[in-house]
Amino acid sequence: MPKVYARRATVAAGSAAALVCTLLLGTQPAQAAPPTPPDAATARTYLAQLKEQAEGPQDGYSRDKFPHWSDQGKNCNTREVVLKRDGEGVQTDSKCAATRGTWKSAYDDGVWTKASDVDIDHVVPLSEAWKSGARQWTTARRQQLANDLTHAQLIAVTDNVNQAKGDKDPAEWLPPKTSYHCTYARMWVSVKHVYGLTADKAEKAALKKILDRC
């Protein structure tokens, strides 16, 4: 059974409400579903092609240099599009803000019924991208990475799990749900491959270890 979490001051009441909402919206909440990454064999090929290079400096980095949550039309921005894509029974208001829905986090199987408890994770964090080559990009190219709905770069997950990840690469952090490690590694490698980003030695070794077991 998926784990149902609750937050804030009234923990017991919130938990009960979340469970009731989950039951009302469906017997099984939707699993977050970004575009399917390449299979493990292809990901291994892509990993071998990534240039191995130590991470560059953090100097000059700012999230503002990766304009994110861009307008996607119909009053919706990128975050709102991903919330609708990855959730079940999602309802929105006239401004496209999610007012109801259920989200199941692929990283930890957490189930949420409030959009405020869900973060949109950049699988390859923006700071990691900066240190892996994006420092040299145009702002338009960085904006493309930060709002990429075509590749497996954005996924709705439990907010505090995403915050624990921060800007760590797979040598430093992996999703708590071990059965998702293969998918996560495939996603990470595919994004770095598409954007021509580099990978450091420890990162490549960690990814190879995961992909070899897929």
Side-chain angles (χ1 to χ4, degrees):
M1 290 291 292
K3 293 175 282 186
V4 180
Y5 294 94
R7 297 252 180 97
R8 316 270 191 304
T10 55
V11 176
S15 180
L19 179 57
V20 169
C21 286
T22 298
L23 294 173
L24 287 173
L25 290 170
T27 56
Q28 279 290 344
Q31 185 73 45
T36 303
D39 61 25
T42 303
R44 285 192 288 269
T45 298
Y46 288 170
L47 177 62
Q49 294 171 354
L50 294 184
K51 181 179 179 181
E52 185 176 308
Q53 183 172 302
E55 288 184 351
Q58 181 83 353
D59 298 357
Y61 168 72
S62 166
R63 285 179 67 86
D64 292 340
K65 293 183 178 180
F66 293 78
H68 50 289
W69 309 159
S70 299
D71 179 19
Q72 298 293 339
K74 299 182 179 180
N75 291 326
C76 298
N77 64 29
T78 306
R79 171 182 164 82
E80 293 158 344
V81 169
V82 177
L83 284 172
K84 289 186 71 174
R85 183 197 71 190
D86 290 1
E88 181 176 281
V90 178
Q91 298 179 14
T92 58
D93 62 19
S94 61
K95 296 182 180 179
C96 199
T99 58
R100 184 178 181 182
T102 305
W103 293 269
K104 180 180 179 182
S105 168
Y107 287 0
D108 63 333
D109 278 346
V111 175
W112 303 100
T113 56
K114 292 171 64 177
S116 58
D117 287 330
V118 178
D119 277 357
I120 308 304
D121 181 38
H122 290 96
V123 172
V124 174
L126 303 183
S127 174
E128 165 70 21
W130 177 265
K131 295 179 288 187
S132 303
R135 189 172 188 269
Q136 309 300 326
W137 293 355
T138 63
T139 299
R141 181 66 166 166
R142 291 194 288 265
Q143 182 173 8
Q144 182 182 3
L145 173 71
N147 297 275
D148 192 342
L149 296 167
T150 302
H151 304 98
Q153 166 65 346
L154 299 171
I155 183 171
V157 298
T158 302
D159 58 359
N160 60 358
V161 172
N162 181 50
Q163 291 153 22
K165 171 184 172 179
D167 65 354
K168 301 179 180 72
D169 70 32
E172 304 162 314
W173 184 93
L174 289 167
K177 183 179 175 181
T178 56
S179 62
Y180 199 72
H181 289 182
C182 181
T183 301
Y184 184 77
R186 288 160 51 208
M187 293 164 70
W188 182 284
V189 170
S190 68
V191 172
K192 283 219 162 179
H193 172 79
V194 166
Y195 285 92
L197 294 168
T198 62
D200 64 39
K201 184 175 181 180
E203 176 188 350
K204 288 193 79 169
L207 289 163
K208 184 178 185 302
K209 184 177 180 180
I210 296 167
L211 291 171
D212 283 347
R213 295 198 300 258
C214 289

